[in-house]
Amino acid sequence: MVAIPNSENNPFKVLDKAIDKTLYEDYTVSSIYIKMRDGVKIASTICIPKGLSPEKKIPTLLYQTRYWRAADLRIPFRWVFKETLINLPTPRIFTNHGYAIVYTDVRGCGASYGTRTYPFSKEEIKDGADIADWIISQPWSDGNIVSNGISYTGTTAELLGVNNHPAVKAIMPGHGFWDPCTDVAFPGGCYDDSFMKLWSFLGKNLDNNNAKPFKQLMPILWLIMKGVKPVDNDKDLSQIKEAVKQHSTNQYVSDHTKDRDFRDELLPDGVGIDDFSIFHYKKEIEKLNIPIIGWCSWMDSGYVDAAINRFINMENPQICIIGDWNHGGMYPGNPLNPSKVEVSPTPEERITKWIDYFNKILYGEGIQGKTLYYYTTGEEKWKKSQIWPPNGQKRQRWYLTENNSLSTSRPEEKIGEDNYKVNFRATTGRFNRWWTLLGLPIDYSNRTKADKKLLTYTSPPLKEDMEITGHPIIALFLSSTHEDGAVHAYLETVDESGNVFFITDGNLRLIHRKISSEQPPYKTLIPYHSFKKKDSLPVVPGEIMEVKFGTRATSALIRKGNRLRIAIAGADKDTFKQYPAEGKGKPTITISRNESHASYIDLPVIPRKNK
Amino acid sequence: MPHAKALFEDSVQIKANEKDLVISIIVKSENKLKGAFANKTEVNDMLRMFGGLNEDIAMEIDIDEESQKIDLKFQDKNNYIKVRDILDNFLERIIDICNKALAGDISHFRDLGDFSD
């Protein structure tokens, strides 16, 4: 697949005022505590352009992280690098162009004091306002703040908007969630056991200022840094010790979610998982109409749907960018183009473009309306739309039919079904869309082999190119031999040589199959499953049920001659919790594909215009 | 970690004085790390972690924060030689670590077994 140059809709090329001059060559770093309204001290690292004249005022980028705002480097690295080394790419790109940066450890984390019972607590959100107050009182501040970040830090960037602080002029959530239940913890009602466990494990050690887990997981990083950076005046380390001591009562989400089944089961303090979702704070974030620049990628967990849900639900002026990279944008993430080895744009190019966007908001014409820029994989082309789904989208239905085929004709046979004994060894591996939440690359190159453990349905070769853009919807009429279970469905394409390429996937735990008639908490483009206890339906062994769910959104061009494939699994062992639980036997799933129970996938197709 | 090689070669100098059995590590940096230059434990850790030193070696460690200089002083010539040999390729090893970090430090996740606290 050959990359086609395309710039007219490329969000990294569209602004005409390219950054062309460097204002500063280096930056100074200092670390201090900022006192919050309740006395909790927040560790903060401040980067200021070196040589900034006393009368010069500049805007500030604010990053509030739970992953150490700055590193205590080992020698000899400390002799050469600044403590901001872990903030990639270098803060220098921003400071050189006249921005100050403030990195903070959120309360209960890093070198900050305080405790945390759950992520993104109300107190943590309020801290953003206190920090903003501190920033604009500094002699170098021009009173403007842009909140920025990726992943957890992206969500804190977005939640800064909740405070409606007048200094906050733009928020830029990169790879952040919208609905933490379905985007990350329980996609399709299936618990992402691996990520939740590993994330909590890492968080606990970070909060204890213990770099030791890196020795096993990221040994090179462990060689370079030994902990979180204490503040500058903490020469005897007494302050950081006291702060870390306060973290000993922190609580971690996996401890409270690993045995849960429903969205409405509460975490400590009577808080539910929805209480720290972005949709919960929609009205507050919309209040000041602050522009939002959201960015994500097709292959990042359920966060791609977060980006789309933010775009279609929030009234703020918005730019939304969905590209073909991994979580955080350090590696490419394009299973249809596995030969792409370099991420595009590079992190440096991306950040340089962010400065253009910030300057446009702070000093230019601002952002009007909403624009979603998206990259169509397989076509290797950027596109844009003011609405989502894009104009012209049509649904094309493909039925699961005999001989493991997909057909656009509805089956006419009275009888037709396929049995699949669930293989609990089936996996998408550890470089999938879920593990990339840890910053890992994306690798779905094993699908040809992986499909041998799955039940597959494959179409004839396509007669024309087909662009699939949006959320495919899967409807399966199935029965199971067991009272619990899950379906993981993969939309793939098979080339003329038989090589299988991943496009997107969806999954659903069978007890959550009820399509709720209630008003969803936000506008959604896929069948609405509430995942609440009251809506759970037991599986009656042997009884046919309709299991209908959306996959994660995608934009992919399938070339003429290639085939479509649906591959169905009952487990993804390296990621999701097993349903039914271990020791309760292996279910056999029977998928109906006949006149009265015609299972199908609806593909969102964008008609091609003689391309 | 851009320009790691140039940064280390420009900033860290290692001099061995066989006559006096002294090895000096001199850091040339514009910004002096006041109160955070190095301590003796860190110097020992550095030799073990990045030099592969796997035994206790009798040496005096003098740290001069003002001049950003560390002197390793030996009584025994064999000990001096051991540490000098370790420091011979020291910067190359450090630069290699930087390059590996830049390339991404992710391979261990693939073979990660079960994990716990």
Side-chain angles (χ1 to χ4, degrees), chain A residues 5 39 44 68 82 96 107 114 125 206 234 249 277 307 314 319 403 449 454 457 481 498 589 609:
Chain A
S44 308
W68 294 351
K82 292 181 163 76
N96 282 7
R107 64 170 57 209
I125 293 171
L206 289 168
D234 190 12
T249 54
S277 67
M314 301 284 273
I319 287 173
N403 301 321
K449 190 178 168 194
L454 312 184
Y457 296 87
T481 53
I589 290 172
K609 295 172 191 165

Side-chain angles (χ1 to χ4, degrees), chain A residues 76 111 181 245 295 359 393 445 590:
Chain A
C181 177
K245 201 173 160 189
W295 62 287
N359 286 348
Q393 188 203 68
S445 61
T590 301

Side-chain angles (χ1 to χ4, degrees), chain A residues 124-144:
Chain A
E124 185 180 314
I125 293 171
K126 283 182 196 164
D127 289 343
D130 292 353
I131 294 161
D133 281 342
W134 179 87
I135 288 170
I136 59 172
S137 70
Q138 299 310 298
W140 39 262
S141 170
D142 71 355
N144 291 316

Side-chain angles (χ1 to χ4, degrees), chain A residues 404 406 420-421 423 425-429 444-459 488-495 498-505 563-571:
Chain A
N404 298 94
L406 282 176
Y420 170 65
K421 186 162 190 175
N423 186 332
R425 305 296 298 164
T427 181
T428 50
Y444 277 90
S445 61
N446 66 344
R447 295 313 300 167
T448 311
K449 190 178 168 194
D451 276 3
K452 295 187 194 312
K453 291 181 178 152
L454 312 184
L455 176 62
T456 61
Y457 296 87
T458 308
S459 76
H488 299 264
Y490 307 103
L491 175 61
E492 299 168 332
T493 181
V494 185
D495 73 9
N499 301 307
V500 182
F501 300 88
F502 180 94
I503 300 172
T504 189
D505 60 356
R563 291 172 289 166
L564 294 168
R565 174 175 285 179
I566 303 296
I568 294 169

Side-chain angles (χ1 to χ4, degrees), chain A residues 403-423:
Chain A
N403 301 321
N404 298 94
S405 299
L406 282 176
S407 168
T408 51
S409 302
R410 186 183 170 96
E412 294 177 347
E413 300 82 7
K414 297 253 183 261
I415 298 170
E417 61 185 31
D418 294 304
N419 292 323
Y420 170 65
K421 186 162 190 175
V422 169
N423 186 332

